[in-house]
Amino acid sequence: MAVVSHGCKLNQFEGESLAYALERRGFRVVGVEDDPDCVVVNTCTVTSRGDRKSRNTIMRAARIMREEGLLVVTGCYAQTDPDELRKLGGVGLVVSQRDKSNIPGLLEKHFAGTSSENGSETGPFGFLQSLHSPRSRAFVKVQDGCDRRCGYCKVPLARGRSVSRDSRDIARALQELHGSGYREVVLTGINLGSYRYESLRLSGLLTYLLRETASGLRLRLSSIEPDCFDDSLFEVVTDRRIMPHFHIPLQSGSDRVLRRMSRPYGVAQYRRIIDRIRALREECHLATDLIVGFPGEEEDDFLKTVDLVREASYASIHVFRYSPRDGTAAALMDDDVSPSAKTDRSARLAALGRSLHYQFCKKFEGSVREAVLEPRERGYIGVTDNYIRVHISGGSPGLARNCLPVRIDRVTEERTEGRIVELSS
Ligand code: SF4
């Protein structure tokens, strides 16, 4: 049995959960190259590149698998375009997003020779929380879907309307993870800021989790849309247990382009949000997503994005080249930015992003920060509160998942190096 996932952190979490649930049912989970009798490809469709990568994985799995093997396709691409994937050949089963968390049950039936039809629906929060993931920081799914219709985005077509997980379930999962040695969880969703369960919004959920879970557990937030910040959220993110790491998608620094994208905020509002965050958590790692080459984006619009990126001094940026996605409003617009202009703009922003990342890390050279340790072949990566990944050589074995003070000794453009303070001083 093998599980391969593409795309965002939420999809990765779901794939890991499937592997864990399969192991719990007695299946042996191996790599695709290790002759599995079944491969589950958990696809992504956020960009045309996501589609291409998913198709390549499916075709590769079909090529290398035994003839009697079973190829299962699921995830966002399988939800929006099941027939396109069925046509690739070799695909035995296409499983919808709704039934994804039930894949271990379906496979158990299939291999027992009973039915492999989609059975009982387990829904978006039916994924088992792995307590033995190779990661040192646990991803916890708290929300799925999105009610918005940003012009370029196909995700709502794949994931449906926004749904939120019962806050008590989330608290229980966090406590269990803490009991298993985890010291950090990443609260994850498609549109985390739209969390709403009974009377709780995201700020209420965080207040509740801070009260109901162990004080030694740190909480990190995945991305939050800018207009989801309100006074109560600003207030709760000052808590020291919430990591000073905020991913706030900008997409464009031009109001004209933001309007064409149907993004519900303007540049001035966005600036106010990041200024306020910085005032509250000065040390914070500010990250963002940007799209280049959206229909109608002129060089002048792009330069506004560059200016805002420079001014915001992001610690990291994620740049996407626009590609039209079927079923979205922007797919009906003229895709009028040439491929070479998209490539050029993307390269210019990526270079700026690398330089800003270096400057951000350099500011902390010589300082000591609390970091969760992820094991590597010869040592650890320490992930600091403000999301600097520090390469640590050596260190005693068995420190994975621990949260320890790490001194940042040396920052170069390639990497950041440091050591665990407790063991060396
Ligand atoms: Fe897509 Fe916009 Fe929803 Fe984000 S907020 S998932 S970009 S529709």
Side-chain angles (χ1 to χ4, degrees):
M1 197 73 62
V3 182
V4 187
S5 293
H6 289 285
C8 64
K9 292 204 166 71
L10 185 59
N11 214 39
Q12 301 289 338
F13 157 80
E14 291 173 349
E16 277 180 20
S17 161
L18 292 180
Y20 176 64
L22 286 164
E23 273 176 347
R24 292 255 306 230
R25 285 173 189 254
F27 292 103
R28 199 165 69 86
V29 177
V30 296
V32 183
E33 314 292 343
D34 302 324
D35 197 23
D37 50 5
C38 171
V39 177
V40 179
V41 183
N42 184 18
T43 59
C44 166
T45 192
V46 70
T47 56
S48 56
R49 192 158 169 255
D51 282 358
R52 200 167 50 245
K53 281 169 128 181
S54 298
R55 280 196 306 269
N56 287 345
T57 303
I58 294 166
M59 291 188 292
R60 193 170 127 252
R63 245 188 345 262
I64 61 179
M65 265 174 68
R66 306 176 215 161
E67 210 161 289
E68 70 278 15
L70 177 66
L71 180 52
V72 181
V73 175
T74 188
C76 293
Y77 192 5
Q79 179 69 35
T80 56
D81 301 278
D83 293 336
E84 198 173 302
L85 297 184
R86 270 190 200 105
K87 276 193 218 135
L88 291 179
V91 174
L93 199 59
V94 177
V95 180
S96 70
Q97 278 293 121
R98 218 180 41 237
D99 291 310
K100 194 199 259 186
S101 59
N102 196 29
I103 286 177
L106 296 176
L107 294 184
E108 197 165 52
K109 280 194 202 153
H110 173 88
F111 285 101
T114 47
S115 158
S116 61
E117 288 299 304
N118 293 356
S120 55
E121 244 179 56
T122 41
F125 303 116
F127 291 91
L128 267 189
Q129 185 73 49
S130 169
L131 300 175
H132 306 289
S133 148
R135 294 179 199 274
S136 289
R137 301 174 307 120
F139 288 86
V140 174
K141 181 175 178 178
V142 305
Q143 185 276 339
D144 201 349
C146 183
D147 293 339
R148 299 197 174 166
R149 289 293 179 271
C150 298
Y152 51 82
C153 183
K154 201 176 173 184
V155 172
L157 305 178
R159 295 256 173 191
R161 295 189 69 84
S162 177
V163 282
S164 300
R165 185 173 173 190
D166 186 332
S167 48
R168 289 157 297 208
D169 271 359
I170 302 170
R172 269 193 294 275
L174 264 52
Q175 285 298 79
E176 216 182 333
L177 286 162
H178 184 260
S180 301
Y182 284 92
R183 294 296 170 258
E184 180 178 314
V185 295
V186 186
L187 302 180
T188 312
I190 291 295
N191 185 347
L192 185 62
S194 72
Y195 180 89
R196 184 159 208 166
Y197 189 80
E198 294 175 344
S199 62
L200 290 187
R201 289 176 176 273
L202 180 60
S203 54
L205 171 70
L206 295 175
T207 307
Y208 171 75
L209 294 177
L210 290 169
R211 192 178 65 230
E212 298 295 325
T213 63
S215 61
L217 189 64
R218 36 189 230 182
L219 311 181
R220 197 178 292 275
L221 308 175
S222 62
S223 82
I224 302 180
E225 290 295 326
D227 55 304
C228 294
F229 279 89
D230 57 14
D231 288 346
S232 56
L233 189 54
F234 278 119
E235 196 182 318
V236 73
V237 298
T238 58
D239 192 288
R240 296 289 127 177
R241 281 181 62 200
I242 309 259
M243 293 302 94
H245 173 194
F246 303 103
H247 188 126
I248 310 175
L250 168 65
Q251 308 302 8
S252 170
S254 155
D255 279 320
R256 197 180 69 84
V257 175
L258 287 175
R259 273 195 302 276
R260 286 174 65 81
M261 288 175 166
S262 305
R263 298 286 285 169
Y265 57 87
V267 168
Q269 184 189 352
Y270 187 93
R271 270 203 184 96
R272 280 196 297 277
I273 289 158
I274 56 172
D275 287 350
R276 198 161 161 191
I277 287 268
R278 275 253 160 72
L280 293 169
R281 305 293 301 265
E282 199 194 343
E283 76 283 31
C284 77
H285 180 125
L286 205 55
T288 200
D289 296 327
L290 301 160
I291 295 173
V292 292
F294 187 79
E297 183 191 65
E298 310 269 355
E299 179 67 12
D300 185 48
D301 297 304
F302 172 70
L303 291 176
K304 287 181 177 151
T305 303
V306 172
D307 286 347
L308 187 47
V309 167
R310 207 171 267 129
E311 177 194 320
S313 294
Y314 290 107
S316 46
I317 63 174
H318 304 260
V319 184
F320 299 88
R321 282 167 51 120
Y322 171 78
S323 58
R325 313 303 294 129
D326 283 348
T328 63
L332 304 174
M333 299 176 181
D334 186 14
D335 183 15
D336 57 357
V337 181
S338 69
S340 62
K342 286 179 187 169
T343 304
D344 173 61
R345 291 175 193 174
S346 156
R348 281 151 73 192
L349 271 184
L352 176 58
R354 282 193 296 276
S355 155
L356 291 174
H357 179 71
Y358 167 68
Q359 288 166 36
F360 173 74
C361 296
K362 194 78 181 167
K363 273 199 301 201
F364 296 94
E365 198 172 53
S367 66
V368 174
R369 304 202 73 88
E370 295 286 318
V372 168
L373 303 183
E374 296 180 344
R376 288 292 182 274
E377 211 169 303
R378 274 185 288 273
Y380 294 93
I381 295 280
V383 181
T384 67
D385 56 342
N386 59 351
Y387 208 64
I388 297 176
R389 298 177 65 81
V390 186
H391 292 253
I392 299 165
S393 310
S396 323
L399 294 177
R401 296 186 191 168
N402 277 259
C403 184
L404 294 172
V406 162
R407 180 180 304 281
I408 299 174
D409 286 330
R410 185 164 171 262
V411 177
T412 65
E413 280 175 14
E414 285 72 44
R415 64 192 225 152
T416 298
E417 292 167 5
R419 65 201 139 111
I420 301 164
V421 171
E422 277 188 350
L423 299 184
S424 56
S425 59

